[in-house]
Amino acid sequence: MGEAQEVQLHIMDQEAKDQTNLPQYTSITDQYCSTAPQTRNYRRWIRMSIYTVFLLAGQSAAMLLGRLYFVKGGNSKWMATLVQLAGFPVLIPFDLISTTSKPSTNDSQIKSSPSVTTLALIYVSIGLLVAADCYLYTIGLQYLPVSTYTLICASQLAFNSVFSFLLNAQKFTPFIINSLVLLTISSILLVFNNESSDGTSGVSKAKYAIGFICTVAASAGYGLVLSLTQLCFNKVIKKQTFKAVLDMIIYQQIVATSVIVVGLFASGDWKGLTREMDGYKMGKVSYVMNLVGTAISWQVFSIGCVGLVFDVSSLFSNSISVLGLPIVPVLAVFVFNDKMGGVKVISMVLAIWGFISYAYHHYLDDRNCKADKRNAGEVSKAPMLES
C-alpha cells in the first residue's frame, strides 16, 4: 500500500513539473511533434510536399507571366494587380466539396469556433493588406528586371522573421540570425545594380529606385501578412482542415479583389484596356491567355503558401518561397535575355546561402523535437518499471 502511494505521488509530482515547463505559446508544428502518431506524421509530410510543389511552380510561372505582360505591351498596374487576386473563383468548387464531404458535428469544435464578426474582421483586414501588397509588387515588377525583382523579394524572409518573433513567438537562433544577415546583404547589393534588361530599356534611375523601394515595402508587407495568417490559425480559427485554408484564401481575396476593382475604375485605367489588348505584341489571344494563366498560377501559389503556413509556420512557408526565387532569374535569362552580372550572381549566392542556413536550423529543430519526444516516453515508463 505504501509503495502504491509513493508511485502515485511520484506521478503527480512529474505531471506538476511537466505543467510548469510547458511554453506559453504552442504552434501547430509543436502539437504535431508532441501528440501526432507516426501515420499522421507521414500524411503531414505528404501534404507539405504537395504544398511546396504548388508554391514553387505557381510562384515561378506567375512571376514570369507577370513580367511578360509588361514586356509585350501591357501597361496597366491595376490590371496586373487584379489578375494576382481575381482567380479565386476556381477554388470555390473545392471549398464546397470540402464542406459537404466532412460536416462538423463535434460540439467542442462548434463552441470554440470564432464568431462571424471575428472572421469577417480577420478576412477584411488581411484582405486590405494583401491588396496593397500586390499593388506594390506590381510596381516593382513593372520597373525592375525580373532577376533583380526576384532577388529583392528574398528580403521577405528577413521581414517575416521579425514579425514572427513579435507575433508568433518565433525564437531567434544563430542560424536564423545568419540567414537574416545574408538575405539583407543580398538585397542591399542590388541597390548598386542599375542595368536595364529584359526589355526595360528606357526605365529611368528614378523609376528603378521607385521599383526597388516598392518591392522592399511589398516584401515587408508579405512577411506581415504571413505572420498574421499564422496568428489567426493558431489563436482564432483553430481548425486543422483543408477548408480552413481555402476559406482564408477565398474570403481575403474577395476583399482584396474588390479594392483593386474600385482602383481600376477610379483611376480610369479600364478605358485603355481595349487599346492595350489591340496593341499587345503577341496578339489578343495571347493577351487573354497571359492574364488567365497569371491568375491561375497565383491561386496555385496561394494554396501552397497558406497550406504551409497552416501545416508548419509562416517562416517555413516564406523560406520555401525564397528557395524558389533563384529559379526565376535563371529562367529569365532564357525567356527575356536578362543579364546576370557579377552583382546579381553574388546576391543570388548569398540568398541561397541564407536559405540553407535557415533550412539547417529547421532540421536541427525537428531532430531535437524527436529527441524530446523519446525522452518524454522514457520518463513516462520509469514509474511503471519501479512499481
Side-chain angles (χ1 to χ4, degrees):
M1 191 70 179
E3 292 179 357
Q5 290 179 351
E6 289 179 1
V7 171
Q8 185 176 5
L9 290 174
H10 180 78
I11 295 174
M12 293 175 61
D13 183 59
Q14 184 64 38
E15 289 177 349
K17 290 180 180 179
D18 291 340
Q19 290 293 329
T20 57
N21 291 331
L22 283 175
Q24 294 180 353
Y25 175 82
T26 304
S27 66
I28 293 176
T29 308
D30 296 332
Q31 293 170 3
Y32 269 105
C33 179
S34 58
T35 63
Q38 197 71 14
T39 54
R40 184 183 297 179
N41 206 26
Y42 287 141
R43 290 199 298 268
R44 175 171 174 259
W45 279 105
I46 292 174
R47 287 198 309 271
M48 288 171 57
S49 300
I50 294 174
Y51 288 147
T52 299
V53 172
F54 279 13
L55 190 154
L56 295 177
Q59 175 179 262
S60 301
M63 283 187 175
L64 290 174
L65 289 172
R67 185 60 202 148
L68 186 66
Y69 167 80
F70 288 115
V71 170
K72 298 302 180 181
N75 194 42
S76 173
K77 299 184 186 70
W78 291 103
M79 176 55 70
T81 305
L82 182 62
V83 295
Q84 298 179 37
L85 303 164
F88 68 86
V90 302
L91 302 179
I92 294 178
F94 299 99
D95 186 55
L96 295 176
I97 292 173
S98 63
T99 301
T100 57
S101 60
K102 290 185 179 181
S104 178
T105 58
N106 193 333
D107 293 337
S108 62
Q109 288 184 356
I110 295 175
K111 291 179 181 180
S112 62
S113 297
S115 65
V116 176
T117 304
T118 302
L119 289 176
L121 182 61
I122 290 173
Y123 296 143
V124 170
S125 58
I126 296 181
L128 293 175
L129 285 174
V130 168
D133 199 50
C134 289
Y135 187 74
L136 290 174
Y137 269 132
T138 300
I139 296 175
L141 193 59
Q142 183 180 21
Y143 292 148
L144 296 177
V146 69
S147 57
T148 304
Y149 169 83
T150 52
L151 290 172
I152 295 175
C153 287
S155 64
Q156 67 194 28
L157 183 58
F159 290 112
N160 186 219
S161 298
V162 175
F163 290 124
S164 294
F165 173 76
L166 298 175
L167 300 177
N168 309 129
Q170 175 69 44
K171 295 181 180 179
F172 281 102
T173 66
F175 294 105
I176 290 182
I177 295 175
N178 180 59
S179 176
L180 299 183
V181 172
L182 291 172
L183 290 170
T184 303
I185 296 175
S186 172
S187 298
I188 292 176
L189 281 176
L190 296 175
V191 176
F192 306 101
N193 184 65
N194 58 3
E195 91 292 349
S196 293
S197 56
D198 74 356
T200 58
S201 57
V203 175
S204 64
K205 291 184 177 180
K207 289 184 177 180
Y208 184 94
I210 292 173
F212 182 90
I213 293 172
C214 287
T215 306
V216 172
S219 298
Y222 180 72
L224 176 60
V225 167
L226 287 183
S227 295
L228 288 175
T229 301
Q230 182 183 350
L231 183 66
C232 292
F233 273 131
N234 289 335
K235 297 295 186 180
V236 181
I237 298 175
K238 299 179 181 178
K239 291 182 180 179
Q240 299 181 2
T241 62
F242 185 63
K243 177 175 169 50
V245 176
L246 291 178
D247 286 344
M248 178 63 73
I249 297 173
I250 292 173
Y251 290 123
Q252 74 179 23
Q253 290 196 3
I254 288 175
V255 175
T257 300
S258 302
V259 173
I260 299 303
V261 168
V262 171
L264 177 66
F265 284 93
S267 65
D269 266 15
W270 65 275
K271 298 178 181 178
L273 293 180
T274 303
R275 184 173 62 255
E276 180 180 282
M277 184 170 60
D278 293 335
Y280 196 67
K281 296 178 182 179
M282 298 179 69
K284 295 181 180 179
V285 176
S286 296
Y287 178 84
V288 175
M289 293 300 293
N290 179 287
L291 297 180
V292 173
T294 303
I296 294 176
S297 298
W298 279 121
Q299 294 310 306
V300 173
F301 165 81
S302 296
I303 293 175
C305 176
V306 178
L308 287 177
V309 171
F310 166 76
D311 243 344
V312 191
S313 70
S314 64
L315 200 57
F316 182 82
S317 176
N318 215 339
S319 67
I320 296 298
S321 179
V322 171
L323 172 65
L325 291 178
I327 298 174
V328 181
V330 174
L331 295 177
V333 173
F334 302 99
V335 178
F336 303 116
N337 295 321
D338 206 356
K339 298 178 182 178
M340 287 297 291
V343 174
K344 285 186 181 179
V345 171
I346 295 174
S347 179
M348 182 183 296
V349 170
L350 291 177
I352 296 173
W353 187 3
F355 166 77
I356 292 175
S357 179
Y358 173 75
Y360 185 68
H361 155 77
H362 188 74
Y363 162 75
L364 293 179
D365 202 30
D366 187 60
R367 189 179 65 178
N368 293 335
C369 181
K370 293 179 180 178
D372 292 341
K373 186 177 180 180
R374 286 195 301 268
N375 294 335
E378 293 175 358
V379 170
S380 62
K381 292 179 181 178
M384 299 176 60
L385 294 175
E386 291 179 2
S387 61

